[in-house]
C-alpha cells in the first residue's frame, strides 16, 4: 500500500490561477485529519466533506493520521476547490486508485457529502493554467465544463461525482461534456443584438449624438437633467451601440466574472458587453474591490463594458473618489497584508444626476442645500469625464410621436467604422485601442492644430477655466468626432463641438 500521493490543483489569486501541489499522506498513529499550507476556513472544512464523500461513494477511508498538504506553503488558499483533489489523493495513497496516474492530472472541484462534484469559481483561469503546465488534462465539475473548454490546447474532462473522477484517473471512463464546437464559440463571441434599442427613445437627438461619440471613442459621460428626461433609458441602451466584443475581450471579461462566481452553469464565454449599475448605497470595497481575500469590484466587473452610476450625488463621496485611479489607469491595485493584486478595469463610465436636490434646473439657486448636493461631485472627478451632457425634459409632442428613432444597429455600424479607423491608426501591437486611451504624447501626434484651432482652445481654457486634463479630454473627443466624420484631420468644427461638451458643468458648478 502506498502511503503518499500527490496531484495538481489551482488557487485563484486576483484573476490569475496559480499552481498548487496537493499531497496526501495516510500514516499510522492517532486518528486525525489535518490540512496544512496556509488554508482558510473553507479549505480546512474540506476534511469533513472529503471523509463523508469517500464513504458515501463506496470507498474506504483509512484510519489513523491523515495529512493533506497544499504547496507552496506561503500562498494563501481559499474556497472549496481542493475537496476533489484531496479526496482523490486519499484514494491513491490507500491504493484504491493509481497514484502514478493521478500525478499527471490537474483537478479542481467541491464535494457534496454524497460524493457529487459541485462547480467552483475561476474555471477559465484554471484551464489557462492547465494549458501552460502541460498536464495530461484538467478534471472539472460538469457545471464548469463549458467555461473551461473555451480554452484551446487543454483536455477538459467533466465529472459528476467522486466515483466518476476516480474512474477517469484509472482510465476506466472518460466522460464527454455536451459542448458546442469551439468554432461555434468563436463565432458566438461577437455577441447578440441588444434587447433594448435606441429606436425606442423618443427625441433627445443631441444626447444620442453625444452618446454615439462616447461609444466611438470609449469616452466617459455625465448626463445632467430632471427626473423623467430619459437618462437611465439612454444609459441602458449604450451597450447595444458599442462595438461587438472580440474573442480576446470576451476571454478577459469571462475570467473576471468567473472569479466573481457570476458565470451561469449553462454559459461559457461572456458574449455581451457588461452593464453594471450598482445601487448608491454601495461601499468603497464593493465598488473598487477588496476585502480580506481581494475579489473584483463593480469597476472590474464592468471591464470592456459600461459602469452606470445613477443619481451620482447620492453615492458616498469616498466611493466616488476611489474611481479616479481606474478612470485614469484602466486598472485597480489593491494592497493587503497578504500581498498586492491588480484587477483590470477598463470600462466606459456613465453617470446620471439631477441638477439640484429638487431635480430641476430652476432650483439651482436653492442656497446651501443645492451647493452641498452639487459639491459631492469633485472637480478632479469631473475632469476625468469627457462629455458633460444636458438631458432636457421631454415635450408632449415628442413623447406622442409615432415615428421610431434610429436603431441601435445603425448607430453601432457607424461606431464600429470609427473604431476600425482607430485600430488601423494605432496599429495591431499598440496597447491603445480607442481614442480615450491616448496619452499626452500620442495626443499631440494624432491631433495636430493650426493657429486658428489653438486660438479657439486658448479662449475656451480662459473662459471656462479648464484644467490641462480637461484640455486633453477635448482633444480626444475632437479626434473621435473627426473619425465619425471620416476626416483624417481634426477640423475647427470638430473642436468646437468637443468644447461644447465641457461647458455644462462650468455653468452648474461654476
Amino acid at each position: 500500500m502506498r502511503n503518499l500521493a500527490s496531484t495538481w490543483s489551482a488557487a485563484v489569486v486576483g484573476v490569475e490561477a496559480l499552481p498548487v501541489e496537493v499531497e496526501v499522506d495516510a500514516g499510522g498513529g492517532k486518528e486525525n485529519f489535518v490540512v496544512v499550507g496556509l488554508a482558510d476556513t473553507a479549505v480546512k472544512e474540506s476534511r469533513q466533506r472529503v471523509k463523508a464523500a469517500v464513504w458515501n461513494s463506496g470507498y474506504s477511508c483509512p484510519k489513523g493520521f491523515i495529512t493533506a498538504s497544499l504547496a507552496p506553503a506561503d500562498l494563501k488558499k481559499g474556497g472549496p476547490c481542493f475537496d476533489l483533489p484531496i479526496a482523490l489523493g486519499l484514494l491513491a495513497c490507500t491504493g484504491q486508485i493509481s497514484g502514478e496516474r493521478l500525478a499527471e492530472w490537474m483537478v479542481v472541484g467541491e464535494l457534496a457529502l454524497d460524493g457529487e462534484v459541485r462547480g467552483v469559481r475561476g474555471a477559465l483561469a484554471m484551464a489557462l493554467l492547465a494549458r501552460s503546465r502541460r498536464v495530461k488534462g484538467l478534471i472539472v465539475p460538469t457545471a464548469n465544463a463549458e467555461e473551461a473548454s473555451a480554452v484551446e490546447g487543454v483536455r477538459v474532462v467533466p465529472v459528476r461525482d467522486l466515483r466518476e473522477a476516480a474512474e477517469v484517473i484509472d482510465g476506466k471512463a472518460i466522460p464527454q461534456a455536451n459542448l458546442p464546437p469551439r468554432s461555434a464559440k468563436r463565432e458566438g463571441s461577437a455577441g447578440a443584438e441588444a434587447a433594448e434599442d435606441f429606436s425606442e427613445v423618443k427625441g433627445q437627438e443631441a444626447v444620442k449624438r453625444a452618446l454615439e461619440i462616447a461609444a466611438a471613442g470609449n469616452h466617459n459621460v455625465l448626463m445632467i437633467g430632471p427626473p423623467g428626461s430619459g437618462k437611465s433609458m439612454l444609459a441602458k441602451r449604450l451597450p447595444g451601440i458599442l462595438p461587438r466584443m472580440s474573442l480576446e475581450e470576451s476571454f478577459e471579461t469571462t475570467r473576471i466574472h468567473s472569479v466573481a462566481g457570476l458565470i451561469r452553469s449553462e454559459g461559457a464565454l461572456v458574449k455581451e458587453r457588461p452593464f453594471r449599475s450598482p445601487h448608491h448605497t454601495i461601499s468603497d470595497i464593493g465598488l473598487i474591490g477588496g476585502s480580506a481575500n481581494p475579489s473584483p469590484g463593480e469597476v472590474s466587473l464592468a471591464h470592456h463594458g459600461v459602469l452606470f452610476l445613477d443619481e451620482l450625488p447620492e453615492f458616498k463621496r469616498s466611493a466616488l473618489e476611489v474611481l479616479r485611479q481606474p478612470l485614469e489607469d484602466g486598472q485597480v491595485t489593491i494592497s493587503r497584508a497578504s500581498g498586492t493584486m491588480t484587477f483590470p478595469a477598463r470600462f466606459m463610465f456613465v453617470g446620471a444626476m439631477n441638477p439640484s436636490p429638487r431635480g430641476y434646473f430652476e432650483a439651482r439657486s436653492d442656497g446651501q442645500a443645492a451647493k452641498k448636493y452639487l459639491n459631492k461631485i469633485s472637480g478632479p472627478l469631473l475632469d476625468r469625464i469627457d462629455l458633460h451632457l444636458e438631458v432636457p425634459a421631454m415635450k408632449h409632442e415628442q413623447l406622442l410621436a409615432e415615428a421610431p428613432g434610429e436603431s441601435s444597429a445603425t448607430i453601432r455600424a457607424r461606431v464600429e467604422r470609427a473604431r476600425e479607423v482607430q485600430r488601423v491608426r494605432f496599429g495591431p501591437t499598440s496597447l491603445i485601442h480607442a481614442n480615450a486611451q491616448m496619452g499626452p504624447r500620442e495626443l499631440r501626434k494624432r491631433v495636430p492644430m493650426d493657429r486658428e484651432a489653438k486660438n479657439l482652445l486658448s479662449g475656451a481654457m480662459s473662459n471656462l477655466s479648464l484644467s490641462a486634463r480637461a484640455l486633453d479630454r477635448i482633444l480626444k473627443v475632437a479626434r473621435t468626432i473627426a473619425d465619425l466624420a471620416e476626416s483624417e484631420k481634426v477640423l475647427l468644427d470638430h473642436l468646437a463641438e468637443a468644447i461644447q461638451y465641457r461647458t455644462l458643468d462650468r455653468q452648474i458648478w461654476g
Side-chain angles (χ1 to χ4, degrees):
M1 180 186 295
R2 182 174 178 177
N3 294 325
L4 179 66
S6 68
T7 188
W8 289 100
S9 190
V12 176
V13 180
V15 293
E16 303 288 339
L18 300 179
V20 173
E21 186 176 11
V22 179
E23 298 176 294
V24 181
D25 176 75
K30 186 178 178 180
E31 186 170 345
N32 199 359
F33 193 160
V34 297
V35 179
V36 297
L38 209 58
D40 70 357
T41 303
V43 178
K44 290 179 179 178
E45 288 176 347
S46 67
R47 297 172 296 182
Q48 286 73 31
R49 293 192 296 271
V50 166
K51 291 184 76 171
V54 168
W55 281 114
N56 291 326
S57 297
Y59 297 102
S60 62
C61 192
K63 295 181 180 180
F65 200 96
I66 301 171
T67 304
S69 174
L70 309 179
D74 60 347
L75 174 66
K76 190 171 184 179
K77 293 93 178 173
C81 68
F82 301 105
D83 290 7
L84 184 57
I86 290 174
L88 291 173
L90 191 60
L91 296 180
C93 72
T94 54
Q96 297 177 79
I97 63 172
S98 169
E100 288 78 8
R101 290 177 176 172
L102 176 62
E104 299 172 351
W105 291 85
M106 180 173 285
V107 186
V108 295
E110 176 186 352
L111 284 175
L113 299 184
D114 63 355
E116 178 191 359
V117 181
R118 294 172 173 167
V120 296
R121 298 183 178 188
L124 184 66
M126 294 171 180
L128 291 168
L129 173 66
R131 182 174 65 182
S132 67
R133 299 289 298 181
R134 299 185 182 280
V135 292
K136 184 174 183 178
L138 173 66
I139 297 176
V140 300
T142 302
N144 297 119
E146 189 173 353
E147 178 189 343
S149 295
V151 179
E152 294 187 359
V154 60
R155 180 186 183 188
V156 176
V157 179
V159 294
R160 292 169 295 183
D161 52 44
L162 176 59
R163 178 164 288 278
E164 195 169 59
E167 290 175 350
V168 169
I169 297 301
D170 279 342
K172 296 177 182 177
I174 299 292
Q176 296 295 326
N178 231 347
L179 303 175
R182 280 187 170 128
S183 59
K185 289 179 194 173
R186 285 185 178 274
E187 293 166 6
S189 68
E193 294 298 323
E196 297 177 315
D197 200 277
F198 262 89
S199 62
E200 301 161 349
V201 181
K202 305 289 187 181
Q204 304 294 16
E205 298 305 322
V207 182
K208 290 181 189 176
R209 160 68 177 173
L211 293 180
E212 179 181 336
I213 294 169
N218 204 45
H219 301 290
N220 302 319
V221 179
L222 175 61
M223 294 185 285
I224 308 173
S229 56
K231 301 185 295 294
S232 299
M233 186 179 188
L234 287 160
K236 289 176 182 177
R237 283 154 178 76
L238 256 175
I241 67 171
L242 289 171
R244 293 173 178 83
M245 294 186 80
S246 66
L247 188 62
E248 182 183 355
E249 289 175 331
S250 191
F251 258 90
E252 291 178 5
T253 305
T254 302
R255 186 162 59 173
I256 297 169
H257 284 234
S258 174
V259 168
L262 298 180
I263 299 295
R264 297 173 298 177
S265 59
E266 70 273 14
L269 294 179
V270 174
K271 300 173 184 178
E272 298 178 12
R273 293 193 180 273
F275 180 85
R276 305 293 300 183
S277 181
H279 193 261
H280 64 259
T281 56
I282 191 171
S283 66
D284 303 7
I285 289 177
L287 191 61
I288 209 75
S291 75
N293 295 315
S295 57
E298 289 292 335
V299 296
S300 295
L301 295 175
H303 187 56
H304 290 314
V306 176
L307 176 66
F308 176 50
L309 301 189
D310 200 5
E311 305 297 343
L312 196 62
E314 300 300 328
F315 287 78
K316 292 189 299 182
R317 176 73 178 258
S318 59
L320 294 179
E321 293 308 303
V322 298
L323 287 173
R324 291 193 198 179
Q325 184 199 3
L327 285 174
E328 199 71 24
D329 302 335
Q331 61 183 24
V332 176
T333 301
I334 300 170
S335 297
R336 294 290 184 270
S338 58
T340 299
M341 299 178 192
T342 299
F343 295 99
R346 194 166 293 285
F347 56 90
M348 182 178 172
F349 173 77
V350 181
M353 60 177 287
N354 299 325
S356 71
R358 292 183 183 178
Y360 299 93
F361 284 98
E362 292 76 18
R364 283 180 299 179
S365 58
D366 214 16
Q368 291 300 317
K371 185 176 180 181
K372 183 179 179 181
Y373 177 82
L374 294 171
N375 283 341
K376 290 184 179 180
I377 316 298
S378 68
L381 181 59
L382 284 170
D383 273 351
R384 287 169 168 82
I385 299 174
D386 303 354
L387 293 89
H388 306 144
L389 312 175
E390 179 180 354
V391 186
M394 297 290 292
K395 297 179 180 179
H396 296 299
E397 53 267 25
Q398 291 176 313
L399 292 172
L400 296 174
E402 294 184 4
E406 201 172 27
S407 70
S408 291
T410 302
I411 301 172
R412 171 182 267 177
R414 294 197 296 267
V415 168
E416 289 184 331
R417 283 198 298 271
R419 285 288 186 102
E420 182 59 31
V421 170
Q422 294 165 50
R423 277 192 288 270
V424 171
R425 178 187 300 128
F426 299 125
T429 60
S430 175
L431 297 176
I432 301 174
H433 306 292
N435 288 332
Q437 301 170 11
M438 287 191 290
R441 181 182 299 176
E442 192 72 23
L443 197 58
R444 302 297 180 262
K445 179 182 177 183
R446 302 300 179 184
V447 192
M449 291 181 291
D450 56 22
R451 179 174 296 179
E452 199 173 15
K454 288 181 179 179
N455 289 339
L456 178 63
L457 283 174
S458 178
M461 290 189 70
S462 176
N463 295 330
L464 300 175
S465 301
L466 298 175
S467 67
R469 183 179 282 116
L471 174 63
D472 285 351
R473 305 285 173 184
I474 288 173
L475 294 176
K476 292 175 184 179
V477 172
R479 179 65 268 176
T480 300
I481 295 171
D483 290 341
L484 281 168
E486 300 181 1
S487 172
E488 187 176 342
K489 294 184 178 180
V490 175
L491 305 177
L492 206 61
D493 289 348
H494 305 147
L495 274 173
E497 185 178 359
I499 290 170
Q500 78 172 4
Y501 297 127
R502 302 295 308 189
T503 59
L504 182 62
D505 67 304
R506 307 300 158 179
Q507 296 168 17
I508 295 177
W509 278 270

